[in-house]
Amino acid sequence: MKTLFDPITIAGMKLKNRFFRSATYDGFSDDKGHPTARLYKTYEDLAKGGVGTIITGLTSVSDAEQLESGQMSFRDDSFSAEYRTMTDAVHNHGAAIILQLAFLGSQCYSPAGDKTIWGPSAVKDVAFEKTPREMSREEIARMQEDFAMGALRAKQAGFDGVQLHMAHGYLLSRFLTPYYNRRSDEYGGSIENRGRALFETYCAVREKVGPAYPVLIKINSEDFIEQGMTFDECRFVCRRLVELGIDAIEVSGGYASSPPSAGPCRKEEGYFGSSAEHLAQELPVPVIAVGGNRDFDAMTEFIQHTGVTAASLSRPLIREPNLVERWQGGDRRRALCISCNRCFKLNGTACVFSAEA
């Protein structure tokens, strides 16, 4: 019988349990994106607290766009030694750490400054009220190369893998969404075309890091907006990425502009679990379920009765970094959780869109 504390292997990564800390925008880097003492402590505390695998907050891979306040960056080799300090600290406590790579696109709070906001089409963002410039083919290729170089630097700095952020309305996600992707070229129209930028990005990353390095994705099950990507389209994208060689899929959903009843502010337990279960039945790669995972017994039952490989948590681990250790020690009370507002503040730091970014 499967348990949440089983050691598992994903794409060669030996993980001490089935608990993932999903990517969380912490805002603890300096104004250039370099790690700070507070950021180091955040990740070391999570590793000490018993979680098997940590996925970092969304990390910038390119100087083509402006950083958000406190956002992590790995735009060039000058960050490498600092991130090696982070990965070594996490590994010393027996946890794995995966770097989440992202382009923000028009989903950003900070002014663009002298940078250009990129998007698949020049459609104003409903929530952030920023209008991007439609990307040229050359800019799409630049984005893909920046992702690939970010992944290579992550590998060299000791990260156990990378996760490509294809969810929640960030730039790769926008290509999948008909409302924001109105292109008439090979990157727009059908879901095969709307997925092309993602497929090419994955291939560029894989070429840089080699066949054995773990590359994961985070993807919306649905966008939950008018003219958004549907679950059937998500399934198509996932199947294609599996054919190309993706190693694991974390299933989430929603945009900042999604209605609270459909998006990340739902109150029920495991609100993307059904989508994760369906994908796990169809796909021959590990599927990780995120969203509303707070009850130990409910997560245990879900893992035991579905093909889903692991459970991913965020807000509970902000409140209790040692939550997994507490559960393993026999105290199985439901996880404590910070308030579920779209934009909340923790210790004076504003978190963007969702703790489960």
Side-chain angles (χ1 to χ4, degrees), residues 37-333:
R38 189 175 184 186
L39 189 71
Y40 289 141
K41 185 177 186 303
T42 296
Y43 286 98
E44 187 167 13
D45 285 350
L46 285 164
K48 287 179 184 177
V51 67
T53 309
I54 301 166
I55 305 177
T56 71
L58 75 173
T59 302
S60 172
V61 293
S62 177
D63 60 7
E65 67 177 6
Q66 187 79 314
L67 285 171
E68 283 287 61
S69 176
Q71 184 185 2
M72 294 170 62
S73 176
F74 209 156
R75 296 176 167 188
D76 57 54
D77 292 341
S78 68
F79 296 81
S80 297
E82 297 166 329
Y83 280 118
R84 173 62 73 173
T85 298
M86 177 186 291
T87 59
D88 285 348
V90 169
H91 292 152
N92 286 341
H93 296 286
I97 183 166
I98 293 168
L99 189 68
Q100 186 188 72
L101 308 178
F103 261 81
L104 299 174
S106 56
Q107 191 159 278
C108 54
Y109 288 99
S110 299
D114 61 351
K115 308 293 184 182
T116 300
I117 297 176
W118 284 350
S121 301
V123 179
K124 185 177 181 179
D125 183 273
V126 172
F128 292 80
E129 299 187 339
K130 291 189 169 75
T131 303
R133 190 187 73 204
E134 181 171 309
M135 296 170 72
S136 66
R137 289 179 177 85
E138 292 74 20
E139 287 168 336
I140 292 172
R142 161 75 189 279
M143 172 192 71
Q144 292 164 350
E145 177 65 12
D146 286 341
F147 269 109
M149 288 304 301
L152 179 60
R153 293 186 191 107
K155 180 181 179 181
Q156 293 169 342
F159 286 95
D160 298 282
V162 293
Q163 183 186 68
L164 308 181
H165 200 342
M166 301 179 175
H168 297 169
Y170 294 108
L171 185 54
L172 287 178
S173 176
R174 294 285 160 127
F175 277 90
L176 296 176
T177 303
Y179 181 83
Y180 288 110
N181 184 350
R182 305 184 189 183
R183 301 175 72 100
S184 58
D185 63 5
E186 68 270 30
Y187 292 101
S190 67
I191 184 57
E192 183 173 3
N193 282 356
R194 283 184 277 125
R196 190 182 306 276
L198 285 70
F199 306 147
E200 292 176 350
T201 298
Y202 167 74
C203 289
V205 167
R206 179 58 72 196
E207 184 176 357
K208 286 290 185 190
V209 300
Y213 188 66
V215 181
L216 295 74
I217 63 164
K218 185 169 196 171
I219 192 167
N220 278 357
S221 53
E222 298 181 48
D223 290 337
F224 301 111
I225 62 172
E226 188 175 352
Q227 299 179 57
M229 182 186 69
T230 66
F231 181 56
D232 281 343
E233 291 175 325
C234 164
R235 292 165 64 203
F236 173 87
V237 173
C238 290
R239 285 196 299 269
R240 181 68 182 125
L241 286 166
V242 168
E243 290 170 3
L244 292 170
I246 203 74
D247 291 304
I249 298 169
E250 187 180 30
V251 183
S252 189
Y255 266 66
S257 55
S258 301
S261 61
C265 292
R266 288 183 177 188
K267 301 299 185 185
E268 67 265 28
E269 185 81 16
Y271 39 75
F272 300 122
S274 176
S275 298
E277 180 178 358
H278 284 299
L279 288 172
Q281 290 171 349
E282 297 177 12
L283 302 175
V285 298
V287 172
I288 304 156
V290 68
N293 292 324
R294 299 181 180 92
D295 185 273
F296 181 87
D297 292 334
M299 280 188 285
T300 297
E301 183 175 359
F302 179 73
I303 288 292
Q304 288 177 345
H305 293 93
T306 70
V308 172
T309 298
S312 201
L313 303 84
S314 176
R315 293 183 183 90
L317 292 172
I318 295 174
R319 181 71 177 265
E320 291 184 274
N322 65 336
L323 174 63
V324 175
E325 185 178 63
R326 169 164 75 81
W327 279 341
Q328 193 158 23
D331 182 350
R332 303 292 171 77
R333 288 174 298 166

Side-chain angles (χ1 to χ4, degrees), residues 2-15:
K2 292 192 297 185
T3 78
L4 291 165
F5 299 114
D6 294 336
I8 58 173
T9 300
I10 293 179
M13 294 185 292
K14 295 182 190 262
L15 311 176

